[in-house]
Amino acid sequence: METRMEEGAGDTVTELLNGVDFENNTHQKGISNGYGPYSGTLTNGYTCINKKNGYTRGRRQNGHVLASSDEECTSKTMKGPIKNGYVKAASEEPLPKTRIIKESFEPPTLLTAALTHISFYILMFLGYLSQALFPPKVAKEKNRDGYSPLFDKFSSFYSMYVYRRIRDCWNYPICSVPGNEVVLKDRVTRDNGWTFEFTGSKTKCINLASYNYLGFAEKSGPCAEAAIDSIYKYGVTTGGTRQQYGTCDLHVELEKLTAEFLGVEDAITFGMGFATNALNIPTLLSPGCLVISDEKNHASLILGIRLPGATVKVFKHNDVQHLEEILRENIYKGQPNQPKGAYKPWKKILIVVEGVYSMEGTIVRLPEIIALKKKYKAYLYLDEAHSIGAMGKHGRGIVDYFGCDPKEIDILMGTFTKSFGSAGGYIAGTKELISFLRKNSFASKHAWAMAPPVAAQIIAVLKILMGKDGTNEGQKRIETLARNTRYFRKKIEQMGIIIHGNDDSPVVPILVYLYSKIAAMVRILIQEKIATVGVGYPATPLMEGRIRICLSAAHTKEQLDYALQVIEKVANELGLKYSRKPINSEPIEYDKIKVYED
Amino acid sequence: MVKGIVEFLNYWYFRYLLVTELYMVEKWERVMFHIVLLIILSILSLFNTTVVVSLVSPITQSLFIQSDLQEGIPGVRGEL
Ligand SMILES: Cc1ncc(COP(=O)(O)O)c(C=O)c1O
C-alpha cells in the first residue's frame, strides 16, 4: 500500500486531517466537533478555512454544508498559528491569510420535496395522456420503417410536454446591448407554446439575466472605441488559424497582458470559451490517465474530459473529502483491466474544477484542493469562466480571492465572455505548457484565431482592470460588484427565500423547486420589467428548479432595490419563502458593506 | 365581503395549481386531472363505506361489547 501511494501520492492523509486547529476560542468548539455554532438545531454549520493546509474538520450536518451567518470571525481573528500537524510543509513558509467560506445549502423540507415529486408525476401523467389522446402535430418523416429512432424518446417527450408548456420563459430575443437594462422583443403564443408570434412591441427590463459581471457589455466607452478602431485596422476576420497567418499583434499583446494579469509565465487565447475546454483537455490526456471531475462541472469540461478516453471519476460537488477518497482508492488500484495481480500506475492524474459554479453559486475550495493535489501529485485544471474579473480584490479570479499563488495551479483556464463583455477563452500556466498547447492543441491548429475587435475589447478591459488606463475604474467596478453581491444576497436572505451558494458569489440561484413556480415567477417578473433566467431539470437536479440572478457592477442601488421589492412581492404571492433559517433582521446599509478589506 | 371571499378562494386555487404543476398545463388537461382525481376519490370512498366497513364492524362491535361488559361489572375493573 505505501509503495503504491508513492506513485501518485505523498504522505498518508491522516497527517493532513489532523492538521487544523484554530486559535479562535469563540469558534473552536464549533469547528472541532464538526458542527456549527447552531449545532444540532438549525440549518447552519460553520467552517473556517486555513489557506495553507486548508482543511476543514467539521463538514456536514444533516445535509447543510457549512453555512454561517457570523460576521465576527474575520480573517484577523483567524490568523493564529497552527498548533499541531501538517508541520513539514507548513513550517517552511510564512503562514498565509485565511478566508472564511460562507456557503449556504438549505435543503427543502420533507413536505416540499414530497410535493415536488408528486406534482412531477402529475405533470408526466398529463403529458403522456395528452400525447396519447392528441398526437402532436409535428413533422414526421416518412419511409423510415425499420429505422431506429434518431432522437432519444424521452428527451423529445420532455421537450414537447414539459418544456414547451413554459417555453415563453426562455429564448427571449433581445434588441439592445445587455447592460444593466435590456430590451426584450415581445411575443405571444396562441397555441400553448408550439409557435410564437412577435407583437412588434418591445419591453425594457432591468437585466438580472445576463452574465455581465463587471458591466463591460457596453456600446460606448473606451472598450467599444478600441474594438471599433481595430475593425478599421484589421477588419473582423483573421483569415486563418493561429498556426497559419491568423496571428496579429493584437493576439500577441492580449496573451502577454493576460499572463501578466494572472501572474503566470504565459497564456494562449482561443476564439471560443467552450472550445477552449473541449479541445484543449484532450490534448493533455490519453487513455491510462485518471481524471477526477466535480459533478457540477460545465458541459464543455465534461465533453473535453470524455474525448480522450481517459478514466473519469466524479466527486460530489465541492466535497473535498470525497475527492480525497476517490484519489486514494484509484491510486491504490491503479489502471483498470490489468492482468491478474498486476499493478500499473496512472500515467497522470488531473483534477478538474471550476472557480464559481454557475448553477449553484458555490465557490471551489481551492486551498484545500491545492493541498490535496500536492499531496497526491495530481495536476489541477481550474476553470475560471465565472470568476475571472468577478472575484478577488484585483479581479484575478478565485486564485486572488483566496490569495493563493497562481503558479500552484497547473492549468488556469478562463473565458472572456462573462466579465470582459467579449468572447473567447484563455489557458495560462508555465511556458512549457503553453508552448505545448500552441503546437498541439486542436484549437490552435484547426480553429480560426480570435477576431480582432473581440481581442481589442478584451485588451481594453484588461488595461482598465490593471489600472493601466490611468484611472481606478477597474477597481471601482470590482468593488461595486462585490458590494452589490453582498447587499443583494443579504437582502434576499432576510426575506426568507432559500438561495444557494457562497456569500461572495455574484450568481444567486433562488430555489423555487417547481416548474410552475419557475414559469410564474419569470412571467410576473417580466411584467414588472425585470428579466431573469429560470433553470429547470436538465441543467439542475430534477427537484431543484431555480431562478438564477446574475449581478453586475453596472446595476445601481436603485435598480437592485426595485428588483428586491418586486421579488419580495412575488415571493409572498407564490409562496417562495421556504427558508426556516433564523432571520437576521438588522437593517442592511449599502454603503457600509465591507468588501475586500482583509 | 363576497368579493373578498372570491378573491381569497381564487388566490388559494392559484397556489394549489402552482404546487401541483397544474398551473402550466392546458385547461382541458386540468379538467381531466380533476375528473380523474374525483373518480379515484369516489371509488375509494365507495370501497371504504362498503368493503372496509363491513370487514371492520365485527371487530369494533366485539370490542365495544367487551368494554360494555367490563363497565357493567363493578369490581372487576380494578383487578384488570
Ligand atoms: C464553467 C464554464 N466554462 C466554459 C464556458 C464556455 O464559455 P463560452 O460561453 O465563452 O464559450 C462556460 C459558459 O457558460 C462556463 O460556464
Side-chain angles (χ1 to χ4, degrees):
Chain A
M1 162 112 181
E2 282 304 312
T3 47
R4 285 190 187 186
M5 279 301 166
E6 262 154 31
E7 297 287 343
D11 313 320
T12 41
V13 203
T14 35
E15 197 185 320
L16 240 180
L17 280 169
N18 288 337
V20 186
D21 220 327
F22 296 99
E23 226 183 36
N24 180 324
N25 296 328
T26 359
H27 296 291
Q28 197 153 26
K29 194 167 130 261
I31 295 160
S32 57
N33 69 6
Y35 301 101
Y38 304 107
S39 176
T41 44
L42 297 174
T43 50
N44 279 344
Y46 194 86
T47 188
C48 295
I49 291 204
N50 180 285
K51 273 184 196 164
K52 178 67 233 162
N53 41 25
Y55 235 88
T56 49
R57 288 168 89 191
R59 297 201 39 87
R60 268 166 206 247
Q61 177 202 353
N62 36 10
H64 314 289
V65 185
L66 311 171
S68 168
S69 48
D70 212 336
E71 268 293 336
E72 74 194 62
C73 181
T74 58
S75 47
K76 267 187 237 98
T77 56
M78 298 300 300
K79 263 185 200 162
I82 299 165
K83 277 188 196 144
N84 49 10
Y86 206 60
V87 211
K88 265 191 278 175
S91 55
E92 290 155 16
E93 300 160 39
L95 195 73
K97 287 180 293 181
T98 50
R99 181 172 288 285
I100 305 135
I101 292 192
K102 287 194 266 175
E103 226 152 64
S104 92
F105 257 117
E106 199 178 341
T109 55
L110 195 64
L111 183 70
T112 317
L115 276 177
T116 313
H117 275 262
I118 293 173
S119 54
F120 183 73
Y121 294 130
I122 296 178
L123 196 60
M124 288 290 129
F125 165 74
L126 286 175
Y128 279 111
L129 191 77
S130 149
Q131 192 182 28
L133 292 181
F134 304 97
K137 294 193 260 333
V138 290
K140 277 229 162 60
E141 278 191 276
K142 301 216 172 67
N143 305 323
R144 284 286 183 273
D145 294 333
Y147 283 63
S148 53
L150 190 54
F151 308 111
D152 179 38
K153 243 184 162 168
F154 181 75
S155 70
S156 61
F157 166 77
Y158 185 86
S159 70
M160 278 193 289
Y161 287 95
V162 179
Y163 175 62
R164 184 261 308 162
R165 298 177 194 277
I166 47 177
R167 203 157 69 109
D168 58 317
C169 301
W170 280 278
N171 310 344
Y172 251 103
I174 62 172
C175 21
S176 78
V177 64
N180 58 1
E181 285 179 336
V182 64
V183 179
L184 303 182
K185 200 165 166 59
D186 293 333
R187 50 185 187 172
V188 288
T189 173
R190 298 186 208 287
D191 50 4
N192 299 300
W194 291 104
T195 59
F196 286 93
E197 283 165 34
F198 289 117
T199 58
S201 60
K202 294 172 183 175
T203 316
K204 193 174 191 180
C205 293
I206 293 179
N207 187 1
L208 297 179
S210 304
Y211 289 126
N212 177 24
Y213 295 127
L214 295 179
F216 280 113
E218 294 164 324
K219 60 183 175 190
S220 57
C223 306
E225 294 298 328
I228 293 164
D229 288 346
S230 78
I231 297 181
Y232 285 125
K233 193 163 171 204
Y234 298 95
V236 280
T237 181
T238 46
T241 68
R242 291 296 300 275
Q243 295 192 355
Q244 297 163 358
Y245 290 90
T247 306
C248 65
D249 58 356
L250 284 178
H251 294 112
V252 179
E253 186 185 356
L254 173 60
E255 287 171 359
K256 240 175 78 196
L257 264 182
T258 310
E260 190 189 331
F261 179 62
L262 296 167
V264 292
E265 288 173 11
D266 204 355
I268 177 171
T269 56
F270 305 96
M272 180 184 173
F274 193 99
T276 308
N277 277 335
L279 301 181
N280 284 303
I281 299 178
T283 321
L284 299 168
L285 297 173
S286 59
C289 297
L290 172 67
V291 189
I292 310 182
S293 154
D294 191 289
E295 66 177 341
K296 303 284 187 196
N297 271 347
H298 188 257
S300 57
L301 290 168
I302 297 172
L303 180 66
I305 289 166
R306 285 196 187 149
L307 281 177
T311 308
V312 183
K313 300 282 168 192
V314 177
F315 68 97
K316 285 189 211 128
H317 179 52
N318 243 349
D319 188 340
V320 183
Q321 248 167 26
H322 190 217
L323 169 64
E324 177 155 23
E325 275 163 33
I326 290 187
L327 267 170
R328 283 176 68 84
E329 187 188 324
N330 286 286
I331 289 173
Y332 179 71
K333 284 186 187 154
Q335 288 189 29
N337 305 327
Q338 298 303 318
K340 216 167 172 230
Y343 174 75
K344 196 167 170 202
W346 298 100
K347 283 191 197 155
K348 63 191 137 195
I349 302 174
L350 182 69
I351 301 172
V352 182
V353 290
E354 283 181 31
V356 171
Y357 291 86
S358 59
M359 288 301 158
E360 313 298 312
T362 45
I363 291 180
V364 68
R365 298 166 170 272
L366 192 61
E368 299 170 64
I369 290 186
I370 290 181
L372 264 193
K373 142 204 150 57
K374 284 187 182 163
K375 197 103 215 154
Y376 292 95
K377 304 193 172 64
Y379 291 98
L380 180 58
Y381 186 106
L382 175 66
D383 181 339
E384 296 234 49
H386 288 269
S387 47
I388 189 69
M391 303 294 298
K393 192 171 182 177
H394 313 284
R396 290 174 191 157
I398 272 313
V399 182
D400 184 14
Y401 178 74
F402 283 112
C404 299
D405 180 2
K407 301 204 169 75
E408 285 183 348
I409 293 139
D410 305 278
I411 304 142
L412 271 168
M413 180 271 168
T415 67
F416 294 123
T417 32
K418 284 100 190 169
S419 301
F420 296 83
S422 189
Y426 66 81
I427 287 192
T430 57
K431 242 190 158 81
E432 293 90 60
L433 170 77
I434 303 304
S435 317
F436 175 80
L437 287 177
R438 270 188 219 288
K439 274 194 224 94
N440 296 301
S441 161
F442 299 114
S444 79
K445 266 195 287 196
H446 304 297
W448 277 33
M450 183 186 277
V454 170
Q457 157 97 9
I458 304 166
I459 292 173
V461 173
L462 277 173
K463 281 186 178 157
I464 292 177
L465 287 184
M466 291 157 85
K468 290 196 174 185
D469 64 334
T471 66
N472 65 345
E473 176 71 16
Q475 203 55 37
K476 242 176 26 204
R477 290 197 192 219
I478 291 167
E479 274 166 24
T480 313
L481 174 66
R483 183 164 289 121
N484 281 353
T485 303
R486 289 245 167 130
Y487 179 70
F488 196 84
R489 278 190 167 261
K490 280 193 176 152
K491 280 273 190 182
I492 290 265
E493 261 175 2
Q494 266 189 355
M495 293 175 195
I497 296 171
I498 297 188
I499 52 175
H500 273 184
N502 192 294
D503 272 13
D504 289 330
S505 125
V507 190
V508 188
I510 295 183
L511 271 279
V512 301
Y513 302 107
L514 299 152
Y515 293 98
S516 294
K517 288 194 176 178
I518 297 178
M521 184 150 177
V522 172
R523 284 173 193 163
I524 298 177
L525 285 180
I526 284 182
Q527 269 169 21
E528 302 277 357
K529 311 243 180 301
I530 297 174
T532 51
V533 180
V535 196
Y537 161 55
T540 68
L542 191 58
M543 297 309 152
E544 292 186 9
R546 57 194 71 177
I547 302 287
R548 196 196 59 208
I549 284 172
C550 299
L551 296 167
S552 158
H555 293 135
T556 61
K557 178 173 182 288
E558 289 68 39
Q559 284 174 327
L560 291 183
D561 280 338
Y562 173 72
L564 284 163
Q565 172 215 331
V566 173
I567 288 172
E568 169 136 53
K569 198 187 89 197
V570 177
N572 280 329
E573 229 167 84
L574 305 184
L576 298 178
K577 301 196 167 174
Y578 290 111
S579 179
R580 304 201 302 170
K581 271 202 295 205
I583 287 175
N584 174 5
S585 53
E586 272 173 41
I588 297 158
E589 282 180 57
Y590 185 78
D591 300 318
K592 293 205 179 134
I593 292 173
K594 284 185 236 146
V595 290
Y596 299 128
E597 278 184 0
D598 36 2
Chain B
M1 172 68 183
V2 177
K3 216 175 132 209
I5 292 175
V6 170
E7 247 169 42
F8 177 83
L9 287 181
N10 264 339
Y11 173 68
W12 282 102
Y13 180 62
F14 170 67
R15 290 288 297 268
Y16 158 79
L17 290 183
L18 275 182
V19 295
T20 46
E21 302 279 25
L22 293 175
Y23 166 79
M24 57 190 262
V25 304
E26 286 157 45
K27 197 152 189 186
W28 70 267
E29 287 171 309
R30 227 175 270 170
V31 174
M32 177 80 93
F33 175 77
H34 284 132
I35 291 174
V36 172
L37 196 68
L38 272 184
I39 292 175
I40 292 178
L41 282 183
S42 46
I43 290 178
L44 205 69
S45 50
L46 199 70
F47 177 77
N48 280 344
T49 46
T50 54
V51 183
V52 176
V53 166
S54 68
L55 280 178
V56 170
S57 61
I59 306 171
T60 47
Q61 247 168 24
S62 66
L63 277 178
F64 282 126
I65 288 168
Q66 247 180 16
S67 62
D68 278 353
L69 276 179
Q70 282 159 15
E71 270 165 36
I73 305 167
V76 176
R77 229 178 141 198
E79 279 166 30
L80 286 175

